Amino acid sequence: MESIESFERLALALAIGAVVGVERHWRERDEGAGKRTAGIRTFMIAGMLGGLSGLIEQTQSAPPALYGLVVGAMFAIFSAIFALYQFRESIVEGDYSVTTVVAAMATFALGILAVLGNARLAAAGGVSLVAILASREILHRFVRALSWNELRSAIVFLAMAVIVLPILPDAPVGPFGGISPSGTWQLVVLLAGISFLGYVAVKAFGQVRGELVAGAVNGLVSSTAIAVTNARLSLTGQSAALLVAGATAANAVSYLKVLLYLAILAPPIAARLGPSLVAAALVMAGFSLLFAQKDTPRPPELGTRNPFELLSVLKTALLLVAVSFLARAAAAWFGQSGLLVVSTLSGLADIDAITVTIAGIIDTIGAEFAATALGAAVIANTVAKTAYALALGGRAYGGRFLLASASALVAAIVVFETIPMIEWLMMEHLPR
């Protein structure tokens, strides 16, 4: 390793210790000098000591079997001494938390990684470590409020995602391209995860902010799923206004996500359809904030409710898969000549797939027709979500969702139809 690189890596190890040390020192900032085991200086030295251990290891010409002996011995000695001092402090103060000891060990190890391994990974590890340490109050508050039903749901969800999903085959089964068991189960995991993420957001950020945060985040994944999930939850006595606020926030993000896809894959379509998508997103976002502010939330009974009902998630997943299958069947029957029909039918189930498809054939069909076809898919997707809200949710939820969706579509269509007129007027009246 060249000298310049060695200095840079050692500086990174020192910086990791400094960042962690600031958080640890801030926790005990009211303690007098010599009253704390470790502060910013100690953690800076810990990170630097880990980096120096790595540099010393590099200078040794030990056989491969003994490689790592220096860093291993230094890590063991450092951990033992640090734990001893922390133990003495804990006895005096009656505080038996081991967090500072583990944080110091992790800082030392990240210092080693910064010198001997991937510097970017070491930097990311340092930031992650600080984030975990700084989240103590939020994490403790969440665990204190955690019930057995919630913990069980988390375990079931992990089993669905980590155990069942990897063993399912990817090959599609059935006509018209078939349905992939793995893809279908991914949808099930997605719906369960959205429900659980929304539940966690509400508990972590509060009832109003939690629904908005969950809706916006899940809009990046599946606004249809959050609309359906919130519709089901509206029948359990929860605030319909807040649930609609989350679903409309998801819709707003979904429109912007389509625009981002188009800006990357097909800029001509983005230029034509972009203003309409932005208009729809703004209307949806406005209704989301309006519903959230007008709500008068009552204390939610989150401690006794299961974060997601697996049977309901499975039923909803089967519904969406059936719609997707019908869309593929229509594509096989109509062919390219029925692109507009296919786009509309595809939009009923998923907007991402048809967006990528149309962007890939823009040279064949032209930007104007591509924008029209994709616009039809967006309208169909919005109408489908509104239908789900009306069919699966309570009256208050469905009515609010219908109002927001209709307003967003009207705004988008008006903008879409007005832009060519404005362009024509500009071409006719501007000097050439």
Side-chain angles (χ1 to χ4, degrees):
M1 183 182 298
E2 297 181 357
S3 298
I4 298 296
E5 185 180 357
S6 298
F7 277 117
E8 291 176 347
R9 288 178 173 267
L10 189 59
L12 175 59
L14 184 65
I16 292 173
V19 172
V20 178
V22 167
E23 194 281 336
R24 290 288 87 188
H25 197 119
W26 184 85
R27 293 283 181 186
E28 302 181 4
R29 60 190 183 281
D30 296 329
E31 298 289 340
K35 297 298 183 179
R36 69 177 69 86
T37 299
I40 182 171
R41 293 184 302 166
T42 303
F43 274 90
M44 290 177 68
I45 295 173
M48 185 177 181
L49 187 60
L52 290 173
S53 300
L55 289 176
I56 294 173
E57 185 72 64
Q58 285 184 327
T59 62
Q60 304 302 309
S61 57
L66 298 179
Y67 186 78
L69 181 62
V70 173
V71 295
M74 292 287 288
F75 180 79
I77 295 172
F78 168 80
S79 300
I81 295 176
F82 193 94
L84 175 61
Y85 274 88
Q86 185 66 37
F87 175 74
R88 294 178 60 188
E89 180 182 340
S90 299
I91 294 296
V92 173
E93 297 182 353
D95 181 8
Y96 299 99
S97 173
V98 76
T99 301
T100 301
V101 176
V102 176
M105 295 169 65
T107 302
F108 188 96
L110 288 171
I112 297 174
L113 179 63
V115 172
L116 293 182
N118 190 314
R120 292 183 179 179
L121 183 60
V127 174
S128 300
L129 176 59
V130 174
I132 293 172
L133 294 172
S135 301
R136 183 182 70 176
E137 285 75 16
I138 294 177
L139 294 176
H140 285 189
R141 183 169 64 249
F142 179 75
V143 172
R144 282 195 298 268
L146 191 66
S147 69
W148 166 245
N149 281 339
E150 297 159 359
L151 180 60
R152 181 187 61 188
S153 296
I155 295 173
V156 171
F157 175 72
L158 290 175
M160 291 166 58
V162 178
I163 299 177
V164 178
L165 182 59
I167 64 177
L168 292 177
D170 293 327
V173 179
F176 307 112
I179 296 177
S180 168
S182 177
T184 303
W185 193 252
Q186 284 180 3
L187 182 59
V188 175
V189 173
L190 169 64
L191 294 174
I194 285 175
S195 180
F196 193 73
L197 179 60
Y199 181 84
V200 171
V202 171
K203 296 202 68 171
F205 297 102
Q207 182 76 346
V208 175
R209 287 182 297 171
E211 289 293 348
L212 295 179
V213 170
V217 170
N218 288 312
L220 295 172
V221 183
S222 175
S223 57
T224 301
I226 193 67
V228 172
T229 299
N230 284 8
R232 291 190 289 105
L233 294 178
S234 69
L235 299 176
T236 65
Q238 297 190 59
S239 168
L242 283 180
L243 292 172
V244 176
T248 50
N251 278 353
V253 173
S254 176
Y255 292 140
L256 297 178
K257 181 182 67 172
V258 172
L259 179 56
L260 177 61
Y261 286 164
L262 295 176
I264 296 173
L265 300 175
I269 305 180
R272 180 66 180 92
L273 199 60
S276 297
L277 292 172
V278 172
L282 290 176
V283 171
M284 281 289 188
F287 273 104
S288 177
L289 295 176
L290 178 64
F291 293 145
Q293 291 176 357
K294 283 186 174 296
D295 180 71
T296 55
R298 58 188 177 185
E301 298 180 358
L302 295 178
T304 58
R305 181 177 63 83
N306 197 323
F308 61 81
E309 295 293 341
L310 185 58
L311 182 59
S312 298
V313 171
L314 288 171
K315 290 180 179 178
T316 305
L318 290 176
L319 171 64
L320 297 179
V321 167
V323 173
S324 178
F325 174 80
L326 292 176
R328 287 196 297 271
W333 288 332
F334 289 106
Q336 292 185 352
S337 61
L339 179 59
L340 190 60
V341 176
V342 172
S343 298
T344 304
L345 293 176
S346 298
L348 293 174
D350 178 60
I351 195 64
D352 295 342
I354 194 63
T355 299
V356 175
T357 301
I358 292 179
I361 60 175
I362 182 176
D363 294 336
T364 303
I365 62 178
E368 184 66 25
F369 184 75
T372 302
L374 186 55
V378 172
I379 293 174
N381 187 256
T382 304
V383 171
K385 285 180 285 191
T386 305
Y388 297 149
L390 293 171
L392 302 177
R395 181 180 301 177
Y397 178 88
R400 288 182 172 93
F401 199 99
L402 175 61
L403 175 62
S405 298
S407 301
L409 288 181
V410 168
I413 293 172
V414 168
V415 171
F416 186 82
E417 296 295 336
T418 303
I419 288 180
M421 185 181 303
I422 295 176
E423 293 177 346
W424 179 81
L425 290 174
M426 292 178 63
M427 291 179 62
E428 288 292 326
H429 295 87
L430 288 180
R432 301 180 182 178

